[in-house]
Amino acid sequence: MVTRVLTGLLFATTGLNGFLMFMPAPDPSTMAPAGVAFSGALYATGYMLQLASGVQLLSGILLLVGR
């Protein structure tokens, strides 16, 4: 149960961060070039990052309520 709640909190927090941007983003110069390119491609779609954040948020809420 502890693992479920902690995972749910992590998913819900990172999902909300995708919409509200309350955590600082990592510095791109410290990331691998392939990771920066992949993130840029996801951002360029216009919807993929929001979709991933929504799935994270929904999963976190479902984990927290025990479904």
Side-chain angles (χ1 to χ4, degrees):
M1 181 167 166
V2 172
T3 305
R4 180 176 54 89
V5 170
L6 289 176
T7 304
L9 286 173
L10 178 67
F11 277 25
T13 303
T14 55
L16 276 176
N17 184 55
F19 296 111
L20 303 177
M21 303 295 181
F22 54 86
M23 291 188 284
D27 184 20
S29 66
T30 61
M31 297 172 58
V36 173
F38 183 70
S39 295
L42 290 177
Y43 182 76
T45 63
Y47 69 91
M48 192 56 75
L49 290 178
Q50 289 81 13
L51 177 65
S53 295
V55 169
Q56 281 181 339
L57 181 59
L58 180 64
S59 300
I61 291 170
L62 289 174
L63 281 168
L64 288 172
V65 298
R67 298 294 275 169

